[in-house]
């Protein structure tokens, strides 16, 4: 091959790549890779190789994460409700809920418990949040819903409540086995609901890290409950915390960073999150969590 030749990578028959030499100007050697001539088979192979470097591989599981992460000693199912209320109706909405919800909570014919009910203070405004526990899982939920559909008072309540709402949504949840049981507490407290949308396939990994992380957040008894979704928006995690006030919240959260190991757990859990949201909530007078 003559000195100063140009080297061209060309496609031959059958999609194979061939190297050809041509005279060059200026006496210098140059190497050109004509990317447009590469066969589609070669490009697909290259893309697959590149993707293998960056795509997270999820280990195969032999059981549902609900069986691996949920508490086995209880069969409780939780429902969380988010009601976006018309701003001019929030006071009437709260009054109506305080009249009706305790009847369901205290009624022995209903196998359910009102865990807490709040208005959002910081976060999405004019929003009510209700958390229910169904002792007995899905059969208990079905029983309660069936009985309420035939309760004329509750039917009227839903109709009146519906006129006050802009939108609403709910999720069915299980509680993490390593989190505190949400039990009634005295106040006054503010509550923070931190909600995390995880990347699909990462719930087990999240649970493994938080089974260790929760130990860093028990000194001031701020941990109330931890849940993950089963129906509704999936791969959702909700952590519920209680604080005396906003400054106490700030102090407790800052103190966690001085505990060896907390920073490492945060470092490994952050990449698992797609979105996250924080709500600061004030309990209604009827809420068992005050």
């Amino acid at each position: 091959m003559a000195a100063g030749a140009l080297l061209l990578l060309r496609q031959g028959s059958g999609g194979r790549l061939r190297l050809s030499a041509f005279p060059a100007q200026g006496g210098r050697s140059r190497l050109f890779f004509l990317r447009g001539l590469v066969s589609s088979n070669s490009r697909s192979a290259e893309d697959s190789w590149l993707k293998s470097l960056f795509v997270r591989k999820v280990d195969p599981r032999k059981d549902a994460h609900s069986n691996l992460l949920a508490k086995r000693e209880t069969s409780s199912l939780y429902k969380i409700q988010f009601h976006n209320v018309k701003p001019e109706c929030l006071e009437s909405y709260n009054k109506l809920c305080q009249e009706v919800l305790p009847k369901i909570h205290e009624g022995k014919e209903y196998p359910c418990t009102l865990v807490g009910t709040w208005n959002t203070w910081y976060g999405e405004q004019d929003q009510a949040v209700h958390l229910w526990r169904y002792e007995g899982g899905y059969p208990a939920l079905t029983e309660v819903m069936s009985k309420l559909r035939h309760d004329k008072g509750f039917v009227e309540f839903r109709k009146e409540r519906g006129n006050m709402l802009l939108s609403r949504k709910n999720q069915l949840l299980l509680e993490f086995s390593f989190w505190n049981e949400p039990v009634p507490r005295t106040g006054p407290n503010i509550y923070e609901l931190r909600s995390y949308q995880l990347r699909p396939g990462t719930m087990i990994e999240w649970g493994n890290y938080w089974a260790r992380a929760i130990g860093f957040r028990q000194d001031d008894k701020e941990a109330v409950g931890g849940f993950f979704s089963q129906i509704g928006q999936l791969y959702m995690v909700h952590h519920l915390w209680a604080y005396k006030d906003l400054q106490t919240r700030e102090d407790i959260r800052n103190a966690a960073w001085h505990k060896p190991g907390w920073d490492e757990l945060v470092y490994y859990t952050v990449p698992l999150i797609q979105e996250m949201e924080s709500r600061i909530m004030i309990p209604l007078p009827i809420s068992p969590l005050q």
Side-chain angles (χ1 to χ4, degrees), residues 8-54:
L8 294 179
L9 191 63
R10 303 200 305 172
Q11 184 180 19
S13 61
R16 296 183 178 180
L17 299 179
R18 301 179 64 182
L19 193 65
S20 300
F22 296 91
Q25 296 179 353
R28 295 184 180 181
S29 297
R30 298 177 184 176
L31 183 62
F32 291 88
F33 291 90
L34 301 183
R35 300 171 65 183
L37 298 179
V38 178
S39 69
S40 60
N41 289 338
S42 299
R43 183 177 291 112
S44 298
E46 181 183 1
D47 289 346
S48 298
W49 178 77
L50 288 173
K51 288 180 180 178
S52 70
L53 295 179
F54 301 105

Side-chain angles (χ1 to χ4, degrees), residues 2-261:
L6 292 177
L7 299 179
L8 294 179
L9 191 63
R10 303 200 305 172
Q11 184 180 19
S13 61
R16 296 183 178 180
L17 299 179
R18 301 179 64 182
L19 193 65
S20 300
F22 296 91
Q25 296 179 353
R28 295 184 180 181
S29 297
R30 298 177 184 176
L31 183 62
F32 291 88
F33 291 90
L34 301 183
R35 300 171 65 183
L37 298 179
V38 178
S39 69
S40 60
N41 289 338
S42 299
R43 183 177 291 112
S44 298
E46 181 183 1
D47 289 346
S48 298
W49 178 77
L50 288 173
K51 288 180 180 178
S52 70
L53 295 179
F54 301 105
V55 175
R56 175 187 298 273
K57 293 182 174 62
V58 179
D59 293 335
R61 302 294 174 184
K62 296 182 179 180
D63 204 352
H65 63 245
S66 58
N67 292 332
L68 297 172
L69 296 174
K71 290 186 177 179
R72 295 183 179 273
E73 63 272 21
T74 67
S75 57
S76 293
L77 179 72
Y78 290 81
K79 179 173 70 175
I80 191 166
Q81 300 172 297
F82 300 97
H83 290 173
N84 292 316
V85 185
K86 296 176 182 178
E88 67 273 15
C89 296
L90 185 59
E91 185 176 347
S92 298
Y93 172 92
N94 288 338
K95 182 179 179 181
L96 184 64
C97 288
Q98 291 181 91
E99 293 174 356
V100 177
L101 299 189
K103 297 177 183 178
I104 302 172
H105 171 69
E106 297 167 0
K108 295 181 179 180
E109 67 273 29
Y110 301 119
C112 66
T113 303
L114 179 63
V115 177
T117 177
W118 304 267
N119 285 163
T120 299
W121 185 22
Y122 290 104
E124 198 159 351
Q125 295 293 285
D126 303 308
Q127 186 180 72
V129 180
H130 310 290
L131 182 63
W132 294 87
R133 179 195 295 116
Y134 296 88
E135 294 87 359
Y138 291 107
L141 172 67
T142 301
E143 180 183 348
V144 171
M145 294 298 101
S146 177
K147 289 180 177 178
L148 289 177
R149 277 196 297 268
H150 296 89
D151 186 316
K152 293 183 178 180
F154 183 77
V155 172
E156 288 299 318
F157 159 72
R158 287 198 61 177
K159 183 178 180 180
E160 186 176 355
R161 184 190 67 182
N163 293 328
M164 303 178 184
L165 298 181
L166 293 171
S167 65
R168 61 191 179 102
K169 68 175 181 178
N170 58 27
Q171 296 168 11
L172 295 182
L173 315 170
L174 295 177
E175 56 182 327
F176 284 110
S177 60
F178 47 84
W179 261 83
N180 305 44
E181 184 80 17
V183 296
R185 63 172 67 196
T186 57
N189 294 294
I190 62 170
Y191 288 80
E192 181 177 19
L193 183 66
R194 296 179 69 86
S195 301
Y196 304 88
Q197 176 68 63
L198 300 188
R199 299 182 183 278
T202 62
M203 187 66 73
I204 297 294
E205 199 172 350
W206 177 274
N208 288 338
Y209 286 125
W210 264 96
R212 296 163 53 198
I214 191 63
F216 292 91
R217 298 296 306 276
Q218 298 286 4
D219 293 348
D220 296 280
K221 300 181 180 180
E222 70 269 23
V224 177
F227 313 90
F228 59 98
S229 62
Q230 288 291 283
I231 295 179
Q233 192 170 349
L234 298 179
Y235 283 95
M236 283 295 300
V237 169
H238 299 287
H239 291 174
L240 184 60
W241 308 90
Y243 304 101
K244 181 181 177 181
D245 50 40
L246 288 174
Q247 185 59 55
T248 302
R249 170 189 176 274
E250 181 75 3
D251 295 341
I252 290 175
R253 288 177 55 81
N254 286 340
W257 289 96
H258 298 286
K259 299 176 181 179

